[in-house]
Amino acid sequence: MATSTIREVAKQGRLLTLLNRREIGARRGMIISGPWTTGKSTAIKQLGRTHELMVRGRHPGQRERIPVIYVTTPPKGSPRKLAMEFARFLGLPSAKRSTNTTDIADAVCQILIEARCELVLVDEIHNLNLATVAGEDMSDHLKYFTEHLPATFIYAGINVEREGLFTGVRGKQIAGRCVLINTRPFPYQAEWKSLIATVEDELRLHRHKYGVIVELARYLHRRTGGMIGSLSHLIRAAAITAILDGREAITRELLDELPVDHAAESEGGDAA
């Protein structure tokens, strides 16, 4: 679904990769921040997919390239755990306990440099708590990667401004190098209705009549609180249920049968 957030992330991501190309100083990055289920992870994954397809199209046959890498920030993490997230993505064997963190990081950086990695996506960045010693250490290690990899770093996390990501000296460094894009629940406006139409157009149910879900746009907004992740879950769950029970169509009655996440229920109750 090409939401306004996805379009903005794609636009800024493309611009940053061009700005950072051949940059010898501090490279610029981007942070996508907002409440849960508002499309942050979807936006950075879509950016990664678009960039990879573009690189593959420009360099066909170069299978050794790894244009994009995606990792999640480990909860209650450490520099070693963070380095291992990169290593796991690359399929490197598990490091022995005697292997120090710097050796793991150096191996990762060498592979990604040789593979000409251009984009590093770091999800769940709110797990990096700069108010703790472990968080500071992990932040320093992430900075090590940004300084040793000629790539653009894109981060996504839940309400990172409130989680202390920009506090202290380390936080100010991050804030000074990153563009911030905020996500939020969609209001009940034209874009929401357009999203509903796009979702319905993707359905492949034998007995479904196009337009039924579009007519339920206000109802869906109330159920999901305008959260794109909750909307996607509800429609997908309804489609799967319709296939399993043979109805092959989504109706208001079917949607009423299905629960949504608690956050959406709360938002929906407030909206009502």
Side-chain angles (χ1 to χ4, degrees):
M1 292 180 284
T3 65
S4 55
T5 299
I6 288 177
R7 288 192 292 270
E8 181 63 17
V9 168
K11 175 183 175 183
Q12 292 298 329
R14 173 63 175 155
L15 178 60
L16 286 169
T17 56
L18 292 174
L19 285 171
N20 288 333
R21 194 167 291 172
R22 300 184 182 85
E23 177 62 68
I24 58 174
R27 297 178 185 84
R28 298 289 171 172
M30 177 167 54
I31 299 173
I32 296 89
S33 172
W36 45 88
T37 71
T38 52
K40 302 177 297 298
S41 296
T42 299
I44 65 170
K45 288 176 181 177
Q46 184 62 40
L47 169 63
R49 179 178 181 275
T50 300
H51 186 76
E52 174 139 2
L53 289 174
M54 182 179 64
V55 172
R56 299 292 183 198
R58 191 189 307 140
H59 305 283
Q62 295 187 11
R63 304 301 301 174
E64 73 281 1
R65 278 183 177 266
I66 305 176
V68 182
I69 181 172
Y70 172 88
V71 299
T72 57
T73 310
K76 297 181 180 179
S78 64
R80 184 180 181 84
K81 288 182 179 179
L82 180 64
M84 287 305 300
E85 286 293 318
F86 281 80
R88 269 191 287 270
F89 182 92
L90 296 172
L92 297 179
S94 297
K96 298 178 181 179
R97 290 187 178 182
S98 59
T99 307
N100 65 49
T101 302
T102 303
D103 288 340
I104 300 172
D106 285 345
V108 166
C109 288
Q110 183 174 348
I111 291 172
L112 290 179
I113 290 171
E114 292 176 357
R116 302 178 188 178
C117 180
E118 298 178 3
L119 197 60
V120 178
L121 308 176
V122 183
D123 211 347
E124 309 291 335
I125 194 65
H126 54 268
N127 286 331
L128 198 160
N129 186 354
L130 293 180
T132 65
V133 174
E136 290 181 346
D137 289 344
M138 194 156 62
S139 174
D140 291 340
H141 204 67
L142 187 56
K143 186 170 179 284
Y144 178 90
F145 280 118
T146 65
E147 291 175 344
H148 286 76
L149 291 175
T152 299
F153 279 68
I154 309 294
Y155 310 94
I158 298 173
N159 298 329
V160 298
E161 307 96 314
R162 303 178 195 171
E163 297 299 322
L165 186 66
F166 300 141
T167 59
V169 175
R170 292 172 177 83
K172 289 178 180 178
Q173 281 186 325
I174 295 171
R177 293 179 180 180
C178 291
V179 175
L180 178 65
I181 293 180
N182 288 109
T183 64
R184 56 186 57 84
F186 286 87
Y188 183 67
Q189 294 177 352
E191 185 174 11
W192 177 259
K193 297 174 185 177
S194 176
L195 285 173
I196 300 296
T198 300
V199 169
E200 187 166 26
D201 192 48
E202 294 297 319
L203 293 176
R204 295 296 180 267
L205 298 172
H206 295 307
R207 300 189 187 96
H208 184 79
K209 294 181 180 179
Y210 183 83
V212 170
I213 299 180
V214 172
E215 292 176 359
L216 295 173
R218 185 179 293 277
Y219 160 83
L220 289 168
H221 191 270
R222 187 172 67 251
R223 286 289 311 276
T224 64
M227 295 182 177
I228 191 66
S230 301
L231 172 68
S232 175
H233 166 78
L234 182 58
I235 298 300
R236 289 175 61 220
I240 292 172
T241 301
I243 293 171
L244 292 176
D245 66 18
R247 275 181 274 189
E248 288 288 343
I250 294 178
T251 63
R252 168 69 182 267
E253 291 71 25
L254 173 56
L255 292 167
D256 282 339
E257 297 172 12
L258 300 171
V260 291
D261 55 272
H262 179 66
E265 292 282 11
S266 300
E267 290 289 334
D270 293 340

